[in-house]
Amino acid sequence: MKKYLQGMLLPLLLLLSWHMITRMQLFSPYLLPSPETVWDALQELAVSGELAKHLSISLRRVFLGFLLAAATAIPLGIFCGRSRYFYTYCWFLLEFLRHVPPLAAIPLIILWAGIDEASKLTIIFLASFFPLFLNTCSGIRSCDTKLLEVGQSLGFSKGQLIRHIQLPAALESIVTGLQLSLGYSWRALIGAELIAASAGIGYLILDAEEMSRPDIVLAGMLCIGIIGSILDWAFLKILQKLIPWYQKK
């Protein structure tokens, strides 16, 4: 509890500074609304049901994109981590693709996937795929070769080597990849909802920008940060239940 209280100290100081700056009118209220104005906007959205509607749609998109990325990246990472030819033939291409931001591909994504949900899921998928894939591949490749030799001497099949030796050895890397992937998928949300969205927290922020409502923009940003932190905390709590022997450093 003491650690959490200490962690809240800096946010409270920032909130107090924000309040003092707006009270002293150092900036125009249009450029920097007061915390009270943002709180009123947040309450207005919550009472009207708009906030819950937009958040539920955004969360559904994030989870679908994240699950698709996990279902693809982990098997591919295991396969590529075990392949002796992977770095020779595939690594340069994947490094190239990893450094191309998904937002740069929006015109092509719209052309190929249209403007429906598929294009938004593609953006989230691309943002969350590579952190998980690369961590899984790295974890599999870094497995102690002596452990593999012991498994081979015991007559383990390839599947048994993966299941009983390489996956446990790569567990920490895979978990780190999952955590990064979930964070990247949430951060890609605004870019995903740039594509002809009619609902979602990203759409709410963009619509507020067009309506010249900086208070709603800040309220949406606060929601994204808070929900992202809650998702990360919930992920670690679920992890402790599913894998009790895993300890996050």
Side-chain angles (χ1 to χ4, degrees):
M1 181 61 69
K2 183 179 179 181
K3 182 176 70 172
Y4 290 109
L5 292 175
Q6 290 174 339
M8 289 299 297
L9 179 61
L10 184 57
L12 289 174
L13 287 175
L14 289 174
L15 180 62
L16 179 61
S17 300
W18 179 14
H19 174 74
M20 294 301 297
I21 288 171
T22 54
R23 285 293 298 271
M24 295 168 65
Q25 297 184 345
L26 298 179
F27 297 97
S28 165
Y30 177 77
L31 296 177
L32 184 64
S34 67
E36 294 85 355
T37 304
V38 174
W39 176 251
D40 290 340
L42 197 57
Q43 284 185 311
E44 176 189 337
L45 292 170
V47 170
S48 66
E50 287 290 301
L51 186 61
K53 181 187 78 171
H54 290 299
L55 278 175
S56 63
I57 292 172
S58 292
L59 285 169
R60 187 186 71 227
R61 288 170 178 158
V62 166
F63 283 129
L64 282 175
F66 170 72
L67 290 175
L68 287 171
T72 307
I74 292 177
L76 278 177
I78 293 171
F79 171 76
C80 294
R82 286 181 52 82
S83 172
R84 68 177 67 180
Y85 301 109
F86 170 66
Y87 277 82
T88 304
Y89 295 104
C90 301
W91 188 253
F92 178 79
L93 176 61
L94 286 171
E95 277 291 292
F96 169 79
L97 293 174
R98 182 171 72 91
H99 287 93
V100 176
L103 294 182
I106 283 180
L108 279 178
I109 291 171
I110 294 175
L111 182 64
W112 292 342
I115 59 174
D116 294 328
E117 288 297 298
S119 57
K120 300 170 183 60
L121 292 178
T122 301
I123 293 287
I124 295 172
F125 173 87
L126 290 174
S128 55
F129 173 82
F130 283 102
L132 181 52
F133 170 78
L134 293 173
N135 273 276
T136 302
C137 182
S138 174
I140 293 293
R141 288 182 63 85
S142 62
C143 179
D144 192 342
T145 55
K146 293 180 179 179
L147 293 176
L148 294 174
E149 290 172 0
V150 170
Q152 290 168 347
S153 67
L154 294 173
F156 281 15
S157 64
K158 289 183 178 181
Q160 289 174 322
L161 286 174
I162 294 173
R163 189 166 61 254
H164 297 299
I165 296 178
Q166 289 183 301
L167 276 179
L171 178 64
E172 185 172 354
S173 295
I174 293 172
V175 168
T176 301
L178 284 167
Q179 190 175 9
L180 288 172
S181 180
L182 183 59
Y184 273 80
S185 64
W186 185 243
R187 283 193 289 272
L189 186 64
I190 302 298
E193 291 178 346
L194 280 170
I195 305 175
S198 59
I201 194 70
Y203 164 79
L204 179 68
I205 290 173
L206 294 171
D207 185 61
E209 177 192 5
E210 294 177 0
M211 298 295 291
S212 299
R213 290 289 306 271
D215 53 340
I216 294 181
V217 172
L218 283 171
M221 291 171 61
L222 288 172
C223 286
I224 288 176
I226 291 169
I227 297 298
S229 299
I230 292 172
L231 287 176
D232 191 68
W233 173 83
F235 173 81
L236 292 177
K237 288 297 181 183
I238 293 171
L239 188 67
Q240 290 173 3
K241 296 292 184 182
L242 296 178
I243 315 173
W245 62 88
Y246 174 79
Q247 294 293 328
K248 183 67 178 175
K249 294 180 181 179

